[in-house]
Amino acid sequence: MASPAPGLISVFSSSQELGASLAQLVAQQAACCLAGARARFTLGLSGGSLVSMLARELPTAAAPAGPASLARWTLGFCDERLVPFEHAESTYGLYRTHLLSRLPIPDSQVITVNPELPVEEAAEDYAKKLRQAFQGDSIPVFDLLILGVGPDGHTCSLFPDHPLLQEREKIVAPISDSPKPPPQRVTLTLPVLNAARTIIFVATGEGKAAVLKRILEDKEENPLPAALVQPRTGKLCWFLDEAAARLLTVPFEKHSTL
């Protein structure tokens, strides 16, 4: 059986160029969605280095559309650490401080995990909020998900060999034994990831090179979590810098503004 297609791979000469292109793509996707029949744009964000990258580039890219456009954005999070919003590990807390202070999406359109609840209840509460926001979808269908990938091949809070990789019923799952601290988290599941209209994986730095080669080129009997992200009908893209892409032999598009 042939391996799944790795998706469109774009390689940038620096993380700065990658960030600028990513922000432009988000703004373009938003404009297309808002001009369509649904007249709204649903975006799912991941944490880590993506926070500073998007905070640096997205407000400028989204500004020409104006506040009326941003009022029709719905923002969710691909996973969340169960810590207070003021904590340095809170994905929403970091976005609130660094991005949302400069990107005026109404609070009512930002779907958050409640970190004050026990992890099981927090997952159920977040799933309920998503179902309310995505009424009519049996599984929430995001217009765009931006995902990261760890050196171990994890994405969201879906880790190698973890039972959550087999979850097919829940749209949101709790995790109490994350191998990466903090241990308690809430994550979207693979059925939601693979229902998205567009997914962009972002990876930068030499530390990601070996795992990207495994994900994008090797056909493994027990695929890494990021390799299990294969949208059913949507589009899959990879945005990498040169350091992260240095071991790849599959075809990719080279981008540079120089």
Side-chain angles (χ1 to χ4, degrees):
M1 188 174 77
S3 300
L8 178 66
I9 303 168
S10 298
V11 177
F12 299 85
S13 56
S14 68
S15 61
Q16 287 76 20
E17 289 192 9
L18 187 161
S21 294
L22 177 64
Q24 287 296 331
L25 189 147
V26 173
Q28 290 165 6
Q29 288 272 102
C32 288
C33 291
L34 296 181
R38 289 176 299 112
R40 75 167 187 158
F41 175 55
T42 53
L43 173 65
L45 297 178
S46 302
S49 59
L50 278 166
V51 179
S52 57
M53 183 181 287
L54 289 170
R56 188 175 63 240
E57 302 290 352
L58 189 53
T60 302
S69 166
L70 288 168
R72 291 184 286 152
W73 287 35
T74 297
L75 184 62
F77 298 92
C78 300
D79 69 330
E80 180 60 278
R81 293 87 175 250
L82 215 65
V83 294
F85 291 149
E86 296 73 27
H87 194 285
E89 292 281 355
S90 170
T91 297
Y92 167 66
L94 290 169
Y95 275 113
R96 182 177 65 178
T97 299
H98 298 289
L99 176 65
L100 296 175
S101 57
R102 301 168 54 222
L103 195 72
I105 300 171
D107 288 347
S108 61
Q109 301 288 98
V110 180
I111 310 168
T112 59
V113 173
N114 183 349
E116 297 178 358
L117 296 174
V119 66
E120 297 269 354
E121 292 179 31
E124 291 174 8
D125 178 67
Y126 189 51
K128 182 179 177 183
K129 291 174 181 174
L130 288 175
R131 291 199 186 281
Q132 289 172 343
F134 289 85
Q135 290 182 19
D137 291 345
S138 57
I139 293 176
V141 179
F142 280 89
D143 291 311
L144 176 61
L145 294 177
I146 304 179
L147 304 181
V149 57
D152 61 350
H154 86 267
T155 190
C156 301
S157 286
L158 300 171
F159 292 92
D161 301 316
H162 196 279
L164 281 186
L165 297 178
Q166 310 306 320
E167 179 60 59
R168 296 293 178 265
E169 302 300 321
K170 294 177 180 176
I171 61 172
V172 176
I175 176 169
S176 299
D177 56 352
S178 166
K180 181 180 177 183
Q184 291 198 321
R185 298 161 174 244
V186 167
T187 184
L188 297 182
T189 58
L190 283 169
V192 178
L193 301 186
N194 287 328
R197 293 183 176 90
T198 301
I199 294 173
I200 302 178
F201 272 103
V202 176
T204 60
E206 202 165 317
K208 304 290 177 70
V211 78
L212 286 170
K213 184 171 180 63
R214 287 179 63 188
I215 293 166
L216 293 170
E217 297 188 1
D218 296 347
K219 185 184 177 187
E220 299 189 356
E221 193 171 321
N222 184 24
L224 293 169
L228 295 172
V229 178
Q230 295 287 334
R232 290 196 303 275
T233 58
K235 182 179 177 184
L236 177 62
C237 305
W238 292 79
F239 274 32
L240 314 175
D241 68 357
E242 288 183 351
R246 69 182 182 86
L247 298 179
L248 296 182
T249 57
V250 291
F252 56 76
E253 290 186 0
K254 184 76 189 298
H255 297 262
S256 176
T257 58
L258 300 179

